Amino acid sequence: MPFSKDFTPVPLADTNLFKPIRIGKMQLQHRAVCPPLTRMRAHYPSHVPNKEWAAEYYDQRSKYPGSLIITEATIISAAAGGYDNVPGIWSEEQVVEWTKIFRKIHDNKSYVYVQLWNLGRQAFPDSLARDGFKYVSASHDLYMDEETKQKALKANNPQHALTKDEIKQHIALFVHAAKNSIAAGADGVEIHSASGYLLNQFLDPISNNRTDEYGGSIENRARFTLEVVDALIEAVGHEKVGIRFSPWGTYGSQSGSAEPLILAQYAYVIGELEKRAKEGKRIAYIHLVEPIVLNPFLAEGLECDETVTNNFAYSIWKGPIIRAGDLAYHPEIVKNIIKDDRTLAAYGRLWIANPDMVQRLKDGLPLNKYDRDTFYTMTEHGYTDYPTHEEALKLGWDKE
């Protein structure tokens, strides 16, 4: 596979991208972050990370010292899942395998946060039914689409609005997963409150029509997310907690900018995080998906919203901000956003194809193309066999 011809590489060694920064208790040597990248290689039904390939995969991508790796989204319990081949971190067997992975990353003098995941209505209702679990969300009747509704009804697993007691149970699952992550050696955890998954489903009025204290007002819709934040701060410490949002995202049938009050929703929840920070409980970072990527399953540039921006967050939150979304092919955007001294840049799909991504960014080296067809296949191909730049030159990729 040749190098990508979609952009002209630009060396970023002399920019803020390679200025060290302290995040939580970590001293990063640069600001290029590997964000969560779902790969569907875990074993089913154990949801243990792949015992043959996962440690090598993370080892390859953490070789540049002082890097921050955020793991693939990791389910907090079988009941919070619904995808067969994604990893979990609730069982002892899972923790054993994650411990090996985290050791590899730390041996490279890099750092790792675990992204904690609860799918909600984006799960497969038939898979949940097979395994004896409810198909849950914020509300009973607000399905993502008609196809999902029919699948749920056919499986006799209609969408179920979490009760207040069940919300408490799910918060406890987040706490258990966070404690397991730290026990396994992770430097921290990232709460997945983005991309249309469960916490995002509570935040967004398009998926939340509740009339109790978890619905209706902006404050109520933010309650579940903030309760998870508070519980994890208590469980593992504020400096070991991050959170991801996608304010403008439409993936998972979320509102995006079509909802006039969506900016107010996220301004409120981010403001609450800053309020906690002023009380001495500043979490490590917030992680924002850029509106240039509204749907992660579409190729770069196919769906974006140029009418909105995440810049609003800087006037509210005074801590570190990770920004993610089609940045690898746009070094000019990276140069601009990292002028702010609190900003880090996340590189997703291209880090899959370029295990030595940080070095290539630093030196302005060409990037390997990725193979989208192997993103989610249970095979080593497209997972651990992408070459470094030096290896690619030996393969003659520069001559193709």
Side-chain angles (χ1 to χ4, degrees):
M1 183 177 291
F3 293 132
S4 174
K5 303 294 196 299
D6 294 334
F7 82 118
T8 301
V10 175
L12 298 172
D14 294 332
T15 71
N16 267 0
L17 193 67
F18 284 87
K19 180 180 178 181
I21 186 171
R22 183 141 184 109
I23 302 294
K25 294 189 174 184
M26 304 175 293
Q27 183 61 43
L28 305 184
Q29 296 307 306
H30 59 88
R31 291 136 187 266
V33 176
C34 183
L37 297 163
T38 296
R39 303 307 312 276
M40 298 288 189
R41 260 73 172 188
H43 304 287
Y44 175 80
S46 66
H47 292 283
V48 171
N50 194 286
K51 294 181 179 182
E52 297 179 68
W53 313 319
E56 180 183 0
Y57 170 80
Y58 281 101
D59 179 41
Q60 291 172 342
R61 282 152 188 79
S62 59
K63 289 291 190 185
Y64 195 101
S67 298
L68 173 57
I69 309 295
I70 306 173
T71 72
E72 62 204 282
T74 302
I75 51 176
I76 59 175
S77 76
Y83 298 162
D84 286 353
N85 295 112
V86 296
I89 196 159
W90 71 86
S91 76
E92 183 176 347
E93 186 183 7
Q94 293 160 357
V95 169
V96 166
E97 201 60 35
W98 279 119
T99 300
K100 298 174 186 175
I101 293 168
F102 300 158
R103 188 178 299 123
K104 289 280 190 181
I105 294 171
H106 286 149
D107 284 347
N108 292 330
K109 296 182 170 51
S110 288
Y111 302 92
V112 58
Y113 267 45
V114 180
Q115 191 188 58
L116 302 180
W117 200 17
N118 194 325
L119 275 66
R121 70 177 190 174
Q122 285 215 63
F124 296 147
D126 48 350
S127 296
L128 288 169
R130 175 200 62 200
D131 295 338
F133 300 116
K134 294 178 182 178
Y135 177 53
V136 305
S137 187
S139 300
H140 288 297
D141 53 345
L142 296 179
Y143 288 87
M144 286 195 299
D145 49 46
E146 186 62 27
E147 180 183 357
T148 305
K149 179 178 180 179
Q150 293 307 317
K151 183 181 288 188
L153 297 178
K154 184 178 179 181
N156 195 27
N157 197 12
Q159 190 166 299
H160 167 72
L162 288 176
T163 66
K164 287 183 277 188
D165 283 342
E166 288 170 337
I167 288 172
K168 292 178 182 177
Q169 293 167 16
H170 279 256
I171 293 171
L173 294 174
F174 272 103
V175 168
H176 178 66
K179 288 182 175 179
N180 276 358
S181 300
I182 302 304
D187 298 287
V189 294
E190 178 178 285
I191 300 165
H192 199 345
S193 189
S195 303
Y197 295 106
L198 183 68
L199 295 180
N200 195 172
Q201 291 159 31
F202 273 77
L203 283 171
D204 199 316
I206 205 169
S207 48
N208 182 348
N209 65 2
R210 300 172 72 106
T211 57
D212 64 4
E213 58 263 47
Y214 289 93
S217 68
I218 283 172
E219 294 84 355
N220 284 353
R221 290 199 304 272
R223 190 180 306 278
F224 189 7
T225 291
L226 292 172
E227 286 180 345
V228 172
V229 170
D230 290 338
L232 296 198
I233 287 174
E234 178 69 24
V236 302
H238 60 94
E239 290 182 311
K240 295 182 179 181
V241 177
I243 192 165
R244 193 181 214 206
F245 298 117
S246 53
W248 312 107
T250 57
Y251 179 66
S253 300
Q254 296 300 286
S255 292
S257 62
E259 166 55 51
L261 294 180
I262 206 68
L263 177 58
Q265 179 69 64
Y266 284 95
Y268 171 76
V269 71
I270 292 172
E272 283 294 306
L273 296 177
E274 181 60 26
K275 178 181 175 182
R276 285 156 175 76
K278 291 183 181 301
E279 295 168 351
K281 296 179 180 179
R282 181 176 300 283
I283 64 172
Y285 63 81
I286 62 173
H287 187 175
L288 301 176
V289 180
E290 294 297 297
I292 198 171
V293 180
L294 301 182
N295 185 331
F297 283 87
L298 295 178
E300 287 85 355
L302 287 188
E303 187 176 325
C304 62
D305 189 341
E306 296 179 354
T307 68
V308 293
T309 174
N310 282 329
N311 289 343
F312 74 93
Y314 288 87
S315 62
I316 306 167
W317 170 254
K318 303 308 178 184
I321 296 177
I322 301 172
R323 301 180 72 161
D326 196 15
L327 297 179
Y329 287 157
H330 294 283
E332 74 284 357
I333 294 177
V334 175
K335 282 185 174 183
N336 184 51
I337 65 173
I338 62 172
K339 288 177 182 177
D340 184 283
D341 205 42
R342 296 182 285 136
T343 303
L344 300 90
Y347 294 84
R349 304 168 207 184
L350 272 299
W351 210 312
I352 289 174
N354 295 271
D356 55 340
M357 185 69 176
V358 181
Q359 194 67 50
R360 298 197 197 206
L361 294 170
K362 185 177 183 179
D363 296 339
L365 302 175
L367 299 178
N368 303 341
K369 284 186 176 181
Y370 60 69
D371 179 5
R372 181 177 289 274
D373 291 341
T374 61
F375 276 4
Y376 309 117
T377 54
M378 182 57 91
T379 173
E380 189 176 6
H381 178 54
Y383 192 57
T384 59
D385 60 350
Y386 282 108
T388 63
H389 181 259
E390 184 177 349
E391 292 166 343
L393 292 180
K394 291 178 181 178
L395 293 170
W397 285 20
D398 57 325
K399 297 177 176 61
E400 294 186 35

